[in-house]
Each structure stands twice: as C-alpha cells, then as structure tokens.
Amino acid sequence: MTPSETAITNAMRQAIALARSVEGRTAPNPPVGAVALDETGAVLGGHAHQGAGLPHAEAGLIHKLRAEGRLDALHTMVVTLEPCSHYGRTPPCSQALIDVGAKQVFYGTPDPSEAAGGGHQMLEAAGVTVSGRLLAKECDALNAPFVKRATTGLPYITIKRAFRPDGVGGWTMLPAQGDKTFTRPDSLRKAHEIRKTCDGLLTGSGTVIADDPSFTIRHVDDHPKFVTGGAKRPLVLLDKRGRVSKEWTARAEENFDLTVLDTVESAIDHFAKLGCLQILVEAGPDLSDHMLNSGLWDQCYDFYRHRAEDELQIRFA
Ligand code: AOF
Ligand code: ZN
C-alpha cells in the first residue's frame, strides 16, 4: 500500500500551516514544516522547525515518532523544503530519513543553498522515491525570504502601508488631525500578524515623530521567545538628523534591539548581518516611496480604508 495523492497533498497543506506558525522565529534558518504518513496515508504526526540550532522539521518529527514508538510505521515524509544533505548545526536530514527506512519523500521547494542542497539526489541514490515541487506555488511563497537570503545574502523586504481617502478624491497615508490610526480592528490584527512573521523592522524619523509608534505585537500572540524568552526583534530607525526624542528611543529599547542608522542601504546590511530572512518596513510616504522607487522591496501590503470595510492589496516586485 501507498498513500493516495489526496493524503499526500493534505499532508503538505498541514506541513505548510506548521511552517507558517514558526515564521518569524527561525532566522537565519528557514521556517519548515513536516508531516509523516503511514502506508495507508494516515497521519502519524507533524512537526515544525523551532529555530537555529534545534532539530530540523524532519529530524524533530523522527525523534517524536521514535519517542512515541511509532517510527516503524513511517512510510512517507512530506516536507515544505528539500531535506538537507549536510552537517551544519545539526546532522543531515536526508541521511536520517534513509536510516529510518522512509519509502517516499515529497517536498515543496528545492534548497538553493550550496551547503545544504542536494538532499533529493542523496535520497534517490539510496533508493528512496523522491518528488519535489508539491504545492510548489504555496511552498515557494513560504520559502521566498529564505531563498532570497540563500541566493543573494539579502533579506526579503516587505513594505506595509495604510491609506485613507484624503477627502478630495485621492488617498493619503497620514491620519486625520487628532487620530493615531485609522485602520480597523481586522486590519490591525492582520498588520500585527505580518509583523510577527518578520525578523526585523525598519522605520523612519518622520513616522516616529508623527505617530509615536510602539511597533510591539499586541493584536495577536507573539512567538514565546519574544514574550518570555527575553529575545528582542531588531528595529532600525533611520534618523540622519537626530530628530527623534530620547524618550522614544529609550522606550523602544525596552522592547527592541534598536539601532539608529543613516541610510536604507546600511539598514539592509545590518539586517543581513543579523541573519534576518524577512524585514518589514513600517514607515511614512517618504521612506516607503523611496524603497518602492529604488527597487528595494519584494512584497508590499497596502491597506485601504473604504466606507464599509478595509481592503488589502498585496503586490510583488
Ligand atoms: C532548518 N530547519 O527544518 C530544515 C533546514 O545549520 P543547520 O544544521 O541548522 O542547517 C541549516 C540549513 O538546513 C538551512 O539553511 C537549510 O538549508 C537546511 N534545512 N534548516 O533550520 C529545517 N529542513
Ligand atoms: Zn535538515
């Protein structure tokens, strides 16, 4: 017996959801999800990679199944990223899959990194049936930040903007006098979800002076390491002229690993050195437009406030 195509596709959907749940806490490693099936296609278990230095998704799942005494039933492993072939911080997952006798491996996105790639061939050479590009569109969207970092050394740049009608037939990013935000609760939740998936935040002095933003995650539950684990997200403030108050920077330092820099380029370099996969630009029209116009972006979320409900438009570079 062998799992049906539907069982395998469903397992990949589950693996993607697992990976999405750890997005924003694994950098510099990728968010990866894995689901194991027995020969009938029944789900034996799933696991998501929890962060650099910890077992990869497939390896963690193998440990889990072994601990539960169910490893013998493993037939098919479904994983969002091609299993690694290398000794990094942890041993190669492809070898682990071979050693435990997996019959089939399905993955979504090939691992583009020189060191870790090649798991496909390694598994195949050992007689395991391997198939890549399952739910490729969804997996590639998930892995876009990791793939960009692995191939260019640079973080994936996401820009978030919010617009309201300006009263004269156009749109403005500026709140009305006396308002702090004009985004509705649903959009705020979405915006905080986006923040949660990013490894660093970038803003400008104009935004800080105009909005007094805190940039903390309040409308969704943040990853535990940022809540109780003492970890702090990097936040870069571009403030060439030193216009932002000490009060604001002191408050920001309580929650963030704050760095004040002069240029977008130095900020991107800083995030790259920290190992960020994805950064979020939360800024006003000047910095956002500059980044969009100079091609320093990958993805842009635009929230538009309409009379009845907000609309979210997502664009890619
Ligand atoms: C992960 N988690 O679930 C998978 C990864 O230094 P290491 O040993 O942690 O190896 C990191 C590399 O392993 C990573 O850049 C990627 O190429 C590959 N796959 N990494 O952290 C996982 N499957
Ligand atoms: Zn691995």
Side-chain angles (χ1 to χ4, degrees):
M1 271 182 96
T2 174
S4 67
E5 209 172 295
T6 311
I8 291 163
T9 308
N10 286 341
M12 183 57 99
R13 289 196 198 292
Q14 206 180 322
I16 294 169
L18 280 164
R20 287 286 185 191
S21 77
V22 293
E23 215 185 345
R25 59 160 296 172
T26 59
N29 283 16
V32 182
V35 168
L37 304 177
D38 72 10
E39 61 172 12
T40 71
V43 173
L44 290 167
H47 185 70
H49 175 60
Q50 299 293 305
L54 295 165
H56 292 179
E58 317 86 307
L61 182 49
I62 290 172
H63 296 319
K64 203 148 114 181
L65 295 178
R66 185 178 288 124
E68 292 167 0
R70 300 196 294 153
L71 190 55
D72 286 350
L74 172 65
H75 181 280
T76 298
M77 184 67 85
V78 180
V79 51
T80 53
L81 182 69
E82 178 185 11
C84 68
S85 62
H86 79 315
Y87 279 90
R89 295 178 195 84
T90 62
C93 294
S94 297
Q95 191 57 51
L97 287 162
I98 294 164
D99 293 345
V100 301
K103 305 283 179 296
Q104 302 192 102
V105 173
F106 288 84
Y107 65 89
T109 304
D111 190 328
S113 52
E114 222 164 275
H120 185 124
Q121 290 76 3
M122 187 169 172
L123 286 157
E124 228 164 38
V128 182
T129 304
V130 192
S131 183
R133 315 303 287 137
L134 177 61
L135 296 187
K137 203 164 142 249
E138 291 87 338
C139 287
D140 289 354
L142 163 74
N143 289 311
F146 173 68
V147 168
K148 181 171 180 194
R149 182 177 161 79
T151 53
T152 67
L154 297 173
Y156 188 88
I157 299 172
T158 296
I159 296 174
K160 190 215 82 182
R161 308 186 296 175
F163 295 92
R164 67 176 176 90
D166 65 2
V168 288
W171 295 95
T172 177
M173 288 176 70
L174 306 173
Q177 200 102 49
D179 277 356
K180 192 164 146 52
T181 179
F182 49 82
T183 310
R184 289 191 172 89
D186 274 5
S187 308
L188 267 181
R189 206 169 307 122
K190 180 68 191 166
H192 282 226
E193 234 165 65
I194 296 166
R195 243 181 224 172
K196 179 180 172 179
T197 64
C198 290
D199 306 305
L201 302 174
L202 174 62
T203 193
S205 55
T207 309
V208 170
I209 291 163
D211 299 351
D212 187 28
S214 79
F215 295 124
T216 54
I217 291 175
R218 303 179 302 279
H219 298 273
V220 294
D221 291 331
D222 201 356
H223 296 297
K225 74 169 182 176
F226 296 113
V227 182
T228 50
K232 289 180 177 180
R233 272 191 188 79
L235 167 64
V236 170
L237 165 66
L238 294 181
D239 187 16
K240 206 165 31 198
R241 286 165 286 168
R243 296 193 301 148
V244 170
S245 71
K246 290 274 174 299
E247 288 73 32
W248 189 86
T249 52
R251 193 154 41 85
E253 276 169 347
E254 288 172 18
N255 296 308
F256 293 94
D257 177 5
L258 178 70
T259 307
V260 183
L261 295 170
D262 287 354
T263 64
V264 174
E265 289 72 18
S266 62
I268 293 173
D269 187 50
H270 173 76
F271 288 122
K273 287 200 176 99
L274 290 174
C276 296
L277 299 182
Q278 180 169 204
I279 62 161
L280 180 63
V281 181
E282 296 205 54
D286 291 348
L287 180 54
S288 300
D289 285 352
H290 167 72
M291 298 194 68
L292 288 164
N293 293 334
S294 50
L296 293 171
W297 69 291
D298 295 286
Q299 182 178 219
C300 183
Y301 289 90
D302 286 333
F303 291 91
Y304 287 93
R305 179 163 182 129
H306 292 292
R307 206 174 282 281
E309 57 184 28
D310 293 353
E311 171 199 0
L312 172 58
Q313 289 185 15
I314 306 175
R315 292 185 291 139
F316 297 92

mmCIF file of all heavy atoms in Angstrom, residues 32 49 54-59 81-86 90-94 96 111 116, ligand 2:
data_model
loop_
_atom_site.group_PDB
_atom_site.id
_atom_site.type_symbol
_atom_site.label_atom_id
_atom_site.label_comp_id
_atom_site.label_asym_id
_atom_site.label_seq_id
_atom_site.Cartn_x
_atom_site.Cartn_y
_atom_site.Cartn_z
ATOM 1 N N VAL A 32 10.225 25.627 8.487
ATOM 2 C CA VAL A 32 9.949 24.392 7.741
ATOM 3 C C VAL A 32 8.950 23.541 8.520
ATOM 4 O O VAL A 32 9.033 23.462 9.749
ATOM 5 C CB VAL A 32 11.255 23.580 7.520
ATOM 6 C CG1 VAL A 32 10.982 22.311 6.703
ATOM 7 C CG2 VAL A 32 12.308 24.425 6.823
ATOM 8 N N HIS A 49 10.098 23.169 12.503
ATOM 9 C CA HIS A 49 11.422 23.563 12.989
ATOM 10 C C HIS A 49 11.256 24.728 13.964
ATOM 11 O O HIS A 49 10.541 25.671 13.673
ATOM 12 C CB HIS A 49 12.274 23.977 11.794
ATOM 13 C CG HIS A 49 13.610 24.514 12.158
ATOM 14 N ND1 HIS A 49 14.522 23.769 12.854
ATOM 15 C CD2 HIS A 49 14.189 25.724 11.934
ATOM 16 C CE1 HIS A 49 15.615 24.497 13.032
ATOM 17 N NE2 HIS A 49 15.432 25.687 12.488
ATOM 18 N N LEU A 54 18.245 24.018 16.677
ATOM 19 C CA LEU A 54 17.304 22.962 17.088
ATOM 20 C C LEU A 54 17.079 22.021 15.906
ATOM 21 O O LEU A 54 17.405 22.357 14.778
ATOM 22 C CB LEU A 54 15.996 23.596 17.568
ATOM 23 C CG LEU A 54 16.181 24.434 18.838
ATOM 24 C CD1 LEU A 54 14.981 25.330 19.093
ATOM 25 C CD2 LEU A 54 16.455 23.519 20.033
ATOM 26 N N PRO A 55 16.546 20.796 16.164
ATOM 27 C CA PRO A 55 16.386 19.843 15.063
ATOM 28 C C PRO A 55 15.565 20.424 13.910
ATOM 29 O O PRO A 55 14.612 21.171 14.142
ATOM 30 C CB PRO A 55 15.637 18.678 15.711
ATOM 31 C CG PRO A 55 15.874 18.799 17.174
ATOM 32 C CD PRO A 55 16.072 20.255 17.450
ATOM 33 N N HIS A 56 15.925 20.058 12.698
ATOM 34 C CA HIS A 56 15.144 20.424 11.527
ATOM 35 C C HIS A 56 13.784 19.748 11.623
ATOM 36 O O HIS A 56 13.602 18.821 12.421
ATOM 37 C CB HIS A 56 15.873 19.990 10.254
ATOM 38 C CG HIS A 56 17.130 20.780 10.014
ATOM 39 N ND1 HIS A 56 17.942 20.554 8.944
ATOM 40 C CD2 HIS A 56 17.685 21.790 10.723
ATOM 41 C CE1 HIS A 56 18.967 21.411 8.989
ATOM 42 N NE2 HIS A 56 18.830 22.163 10.066
ATOM 43 N N ALA A 57 12.827 20.215 10.800
ATOM 44 C CA ALA A 57 11.453 19.719 10.908
ATOM 45 C C ALA A 57 11.398 18.189 10.802
ATOM 46 O O ALA A 57 10.765 17.516 11.637
ATOM 47 C CB ALA A 57 10.600 20.366 9.819
ATOM 48 N N GLU A 58 12.091 17.641 9.789
ATOM 49 C CA GLU A 58 12.033 16.186 9.562
ATOM 50 C C GLU A 58 12.705 15.434 10.705
ATOM 51 O O GLU A 58 12.191 14.422 11.196
ATOM 52 C CB GLU A 58 12.767 15.782 8.267
ATOM 53 C CG GLU A 58 12.561 16.640 7.056
ATOM 54 C CD GLU A 58 13.513 17.830 7.007
ATOM 55 O OE1 GLU A 58 13.574 18.579 7.994
ATOM 56 O OE2 GLU A 58 14.171 18.009 5.970
ATOM 57 N N ALA A 59 13.864 15.961 11.151
ATOM 58 C CA ALA A 59 14.605 15.295 12.229
ATOM 59 C C ALA A 59 13.811 15.338 13.531
ATOM 60 O O ALA A 59 13.731 14.333 14.252
ATOM 61 C CB ALA A 59 15.962 15.962 12.413
ATOM 62 N N LEU A 81 10.400 22.052 2.535
ATOM 63 C CA LEU A 81 11.689 22.360 1.894
ATOM 64 C C LEU A 81 12.458 21.054 1.684
ATOM 65 O O LEU A 81 12.370 20.151 2.510
ATOM 66 C CB LEU A 81 12.485 23.297 2.817
ATOM 67 C CG LEU A 81 13.843 23.800 2.347
ATOM 68 C CD1 LEU A 81 13.694 24.767 1.169
ATOM 69 C CD2 LEU A 81 14.574 24.530 3.489
ATOM 70 N N GLU A 82 13.197 20.984 0.597
ATOM 71 C CA GLU A 82 14.010 19.792 0.305
ATOM 72 C C GLU A 82 14.869 19.411 1.525
ATOM 73 O O GLU A 82 15.576 20.259 2.078
ATOM 74 C CB GLU A 82 14.922 20.111 -0.886
ATOM 75 C CG GLU A 82 15.858 18.981 -1.278
ATOM 76 C CD GLU A 82 16.833 19.380 -2.402
ATOM 77 O OE1 GLU A 82 16.923 20.584 -2.720
ATOM 78 O OE2 GLU A 82 17.496 18.482 -2.938
ATOM 79 N N PRO A 83 14.825 18.170 1.962
ATOM 80 C CA PRO A 83 15.629 17.764 3.132
ATOM 81 C C PRO A 83 17.112 18.064 2.904
ATOM 82 O O PRO A 83 17.618 17.900 1.791
ATOM 83 C CB PRO A 83 15.376 16.252 3.225
ATOM 84 C CG PRO A 83 14.037 16.057 2.592
ATOM 85 C CD PRO A 83 13.977 17.068 1.466
ATOM 86 N N CYS A 84 17.790 18.474 3.962
ATOM 87 C CA CYS A 84 19.190 18.884 3.803
ATOM 88 C C CYS A 84 20.107 17.667 3.679
ATOM 89 O O CYS A 84 19.767 16.553 4.062
ATOM 90 C CB CYS A 84 19.617 19.783 4.962
ATOM 91 S SG CYS A 84 19.712 18.926 6.536
ATOM 92 N N SER A 85 21.303 17.943 3.146
ATOM 93 C CA SER A 85 22.240 16.850 2.853
ATOM 94 C C SER A 85 23.522 17.024 3.655
ATOM 95 O O SER A 85 24.484 16.316 3.442
ATOM 96 C CB SER A 85 22.587 16.893 1.368
ATOM 97 O OG SER A 85 23.230 18.130 1.096
ATOM 98 N N HIS A 86 23.562 18.024 4.554
ATOM 99 C CA HIS A 86 24.842 18.452 5.125
ATOM 100 C C HIS A 86 24.867 18.390 6.655
ATOM 101 O O HIS A 86 23.836 18.374 7.315
ATOM 102 C CB HIS A 86 25.117 19.884 4.686
ATOM 103 C CG HIS A 86 24.336 20.903 5.488
ATOM 104 N ND1 HIS A 86 22.997 20.758 5.778
ATOM 105 C CD2 HIS A 86 24.731 22.066 6.061
ATOM 106 C CE1 HIS A 86 22.593 21.788 6.505
ATOM 107 N NE2 HIS A 86 23.617 22.589 6.701
ATOM 108 N N THR A 90 23.267 20.862 12.767
ATOM 109 C CA THR A 90 22.632 19.561 13.031
ATOM 110 C C THR A 90 22.986 18.596 11.897
ATOM 111 O O THR A 90 23.407 19.036 10.825
ATOM 112 C CB THR A 90 21.094 19.718 13.121
ATOM 113 O OG1 THR A 90 20.612 20.183 11.862
ATOM 114 C CG2 THR A 90 20.681 20.718 14.214
ATOM 115 N N PRO A 91 22.841 17.265 12.100
ATOM 116 C CA PRO A 91 23.203 16.307 11.049
ATOM 117 C C PRO A 91 22.206 16.294 9.886
ATOM 118 O O PRO A 91 21.102 16.801 10.017
ATOM 119 C CB PRO A 91 23.206 14.958 11.781
ATOM 120 C CG PRO A 91 22.674 15.179 13.143
ATOM 121 C CD PRO A 91 22.417 16.627 13.343
ATOM 122 N N PRO A 92 22.592 15.708 8.746
ATOM 123 C CA PRO A 92 21.747 15.757 7.548
ATOM 124 C C PRO A 92 20.436 14.976 7.672
ATOM 125 O O PRO A 92 20.428 13.805 8.030
ATOM 126 C CB PRO A 92 22.627 15.143 6.450
ATOM 127 C CG PRO A 92 23.691 14.390 7.167
ATOM 128 C CD PRO A 92 23.863 15.027 8.504
ATOM 129 N N CYS A 93 19.347 15.662 7.341
ATOM 130 C CA CYS A 93 18.022 15.024 7.424
ATOM 131 C C CYS A 93 17.856 13.926 6.379
ATOM 132 O O CYS A 93 17.166 12.938 6.618
ATOM 133 C CB CYS A 93 16.927 16.069 7.244
ATOM 134 S SG CYS A 93 16.888 17.245 8.586
ATOM 135 N N SER A 94 18.449 14.097 5.200
ATOM 136 C CA SER A 94 18.296 13.069 4.165
ATOM 137 C C SER A 94 18.853 11.742 4.673
ATOM 138 O O SER A 94 18.242 10.685 4.495
ATOM 139 C CB SER A 94 19.015 13.485 2.881
ATOM 140 O OG SER A 94 18.400 14.650 2.383
ATOM 141 N N ALA A 96 19.132 10.870 7.793
ATOM 142 C CA ALA A 96 18.233 10.393 8.851
ATOM 143 C C ALA A 96 17.030 9.677 8.247
ATOM 144 O O ALA A 96 16.619 8.612 8.737
ATOM 145 C CB ALA A 96 17.776 11.563 9.718
ATOM 146 N N ASP A 111 16.127 23.206 -1.943
ATOM 147 C CA ASP A 111 17.001 24.023 -1.088
ATOM 148 C C ASP A 111 18.105 24.610 -1.963
ATOM 149 O O ASP A 111 18.933 23.877 -2.504
ATOM 150 C CB ASP A 111 17.611 23.161 0.027
ATOM 151 C CG ASP A 111 18.331 24.023 1.063
ATOM 152 O OD1 ASP A 111 18.881 25.080 0.675
ATOM 153 O OD2 ASP A 111 18.338 23.651 2.242
ATOM 154 N N ALA A 116 23.607 22.971 1.959
ATOM 155 C CA ALA A 116 22.553 22.043 2.389
ATOM 156 C C ALA A 116 21.818 21.366 1.234
ATOM 157 O O ALA A 116 21.154 20.348 1.416
ATOM 158 C CB ALA A 116 21.552 22.785 3.276
HETATM 159 ZN ZN ZN B 2 17.780 19.101 7.699
#
